[in-house]
Amino acid sequence: MSRLWVALLCLLGPATTWAAPDKLIFALRPLPPYMEVTPTGYAGSHVEIMARLAERLNVKLEIVECPLVRCLRMLQEGTADVTMGLAMTAEREPMMVLLEPPYAAGSPTYFFLRRDDKRKVRKYEDLYPLRLGVIRGLHYFDEFDGDNKLKKDEAPDLMTNFRKLVAGRVDVVPAGANVAATFLQNPQFAGRVKAAEWVRPNKVMRYVSMSRTSPWQDERGRLEQALAAMVDAGETKAILERYETAFLAACKKARRC
């Protein structure tokens, strides 16, 4: 090797190599049937879907349990790579991207009242006189989120809102259809709450959200390819249906499906 090449190599320094991420950090909040804490660890449809995805990518899955607001902050800071089930909003667009394809269709929103409450919710406008227990930072639907005439009382999670409902501190709690049965079967709420007549359909598809500052951004194509393979093979659908069987049975029994 000539002295000139040796001098150039010394100036350039040691060669650097780029390595793909070896783990996937998944931030999510406890919300059965998607995620719940069990004596043996985390369980739920979203946990299982992401575990299968990590297997396909041949990386370790690291789960971080967090309230919704903190999960969003982790996406913004890049301390978490992905989460699931979040709708895109103008506020969230700078911090996250939605991975294609969507893994499921949206589920309708139910509105729950105390069983002894005689008031009716048969249309959107019937919500105005009532106190609504909502989750801080959660996107429900555009009309609802931007309606300042609604009386909204924020809480960190759905469990807190249902407790406030049975205690009479709020009048109505909106909840996605797929989580409704889990709470209705809870001894704290069984027989004490009821679904309103009005159900708000949801046509928004469900996506995996990825932090814009995640190291997986450079591997986004690989991640989306693995996700698409799961969706095409029916894996995501089968997992979701298995966990949502309890809701479907309760829904049909109540003649609300």
Side-chain angles (χ1 to χ4, degrees), residues 6-71:
V6 172
L8 285 173
L9 288 172
C10 290
L11 288 172
L12 290 171
T16 58
T17 57
W18 178 87
D22 61 358
K23 66 179 178 180
L24 189 64
I25 303 175
F26 180 31
L28 74 168
R29 68 192 193 278
L31 187 66
Y34 305 119
M35 185 281 214
E36 58 184 320
V37 183
T38 73
T40 57
Y42 296 111
S45 58
H46 284 179
V47 173
E48 188 169 331
I49 288 171
M50 199 55 61
R52 297 273 189 92
L53 184 62
E55 285 179 12
R56 283 179 175 267
L57 296 167
N58 195 29
V59 297
K60 177 184 176 182
L61 180 66
E62 183 177 315
I63 295 176
V64 180
E65 178 187 346
C66 47
L68 177 59
V69 172
R70 183 150 59 89
C71 287

Side-chain angles (χ1 to χ4, degrees), residues 81-82 95-97 99 208-212 216-217 220:
D81 298 311
V82 292
M95 72 177 74
M96 71 185 199
V97 294
L99 299 181
V208 174
S209 306
M210 183 169 68
S211 166
R212 287 189 180 275
W216 280 95
Q217 279 291 349
R220 179 175 172 180

Side-chain angles (χ1 to χ4, degrees), residues 72-89:
L72 287 169
R73 187 165 61 248
M74 293 180 70
L75 289 179
Q76 184 176 27
E77 296 170 348
T79 51
D81 298 311
V82 292
T83 191
M84 294 180 71
L86 292 184
M88 181 62 81
T89 66

Side-chain angles (χ1 to χ4, degrees), residues 23-255:
K23 66 179 178 180
L24 189 64
I25 303 175
F26 180 31
L28 74 168
R29 68 192 193 278
L31 187 66
Y34 305 119
M35 185 281 214
E36 58 184 320
V37 183
T38 73
T40 57
Y42 296 111
S45 58
H46 284 179
V47 173
E48 188 169 331
I49 288 171
M50 199 55 61
R52 297 273 189 92
L53 184 62
E55 285 179 12
R56 283 179 175 267
L57 296 167
N58 195 29
V59 297
K60 177 184 176 182
L61 180 66
E62 183 177 315
I63 295 176
V64 180
E65 178 187 346
C66 47
L68 177 59
V69 172
R70 183 150 59 89
C71 287
L72 287 169
R73 187 165 61 248
M74 293 180 70
L75 289 179
Q76 184 176 27
E77 296 170 348
T79 51
D81 298 311
V82 292
T83 191
M84 294 180 71
L86 292 184
M88 181 62 81
T89 66
E91 293 76 18
R92 294 172 183 174
E93 198 276 336
M95 72 177 74
M96 71 185 199
V97 294
L98 302 181
L99 299 181
E100 295 288 350
Y103 65 88
S107 58
T109 301
Y110 280 49
F111 294 85
F112 292 90
L113 303 91
R114 286 180 298 281
R115 182 161 293 279
D116 59 358
D117 196 331
K118 303 301 182 183
R119 291 171 293 186
K120 303 293 184 182
V121 178
R122 294 183 172 133
K123 57 185 183 300
Y124 179 86
E125 290 73 19
D126 291 338
L127 297 174
Y128 285 123
L130 306 174
R131 294 168 297 167
L132 301 160
V134 300
I135 298 174
R136 187 177 302 114
L138 185 65
H139 174 74
Y140 290 89
F141 50 94
D142 290 342
E143 181 184 13
F144 184 90
D145 295 337
D147 195 339
N148 294 325
K149 293 183 292 183
L150 292 172
K151 304 178 184 69
K152 299 173 187 174
D153 193 320
E154 293 186 339
D157 52 54
L158 191 56
M159 176 66 78
T160 302
N161 277 328
F162 268 96
R163 286 172 175 162
K164 289 164 68 175
L165 177 64
V166 297
R169 292 165 56 196
V170 297
D171 302 314
V172 178
V173 170
N178 292 332
V179 303
T182 303
F183 284 91
L184 294 179
Q185 292 168 8
N186 188 307
Q188 295 183 65
F189 314 122
R192 303 179 69 183
V193 300
K194 63 183 179 182
E197 295 178 52
W198 184 59
V199 178
R200 203 271 181 181
N202 179 14
K203 298 180 180 180
V204 178
M205 302 297 286
R206 287 184 274 174
Y207 290 84
V208 174
S209 306
M210 183 169 68
S211 166
R212 287 189 180 275
T213 53
S214 165
W216 280 95
Q217 279 291 349
D218 292 329
E219 289 281 286
R220 179 175 172 180
R222 177 178 161 221
L223 208 157
E224 289 186 323
Q225 186 177 23
L227 177 62
M230 289 182 62
V231 172
D232 291 344
E235 283 186 59
T236 55
K237 181 180 179 181
I239 292 169
L240 289 166
E241 286 181 348
R242 177 156 42 83
Y243 281 93
E244 292 166 4
T245 299
F247 162 73
L248 292 172
C251 183
K252 291 176 180 177
K253 185 177 180 179
R255 298 181 180 178

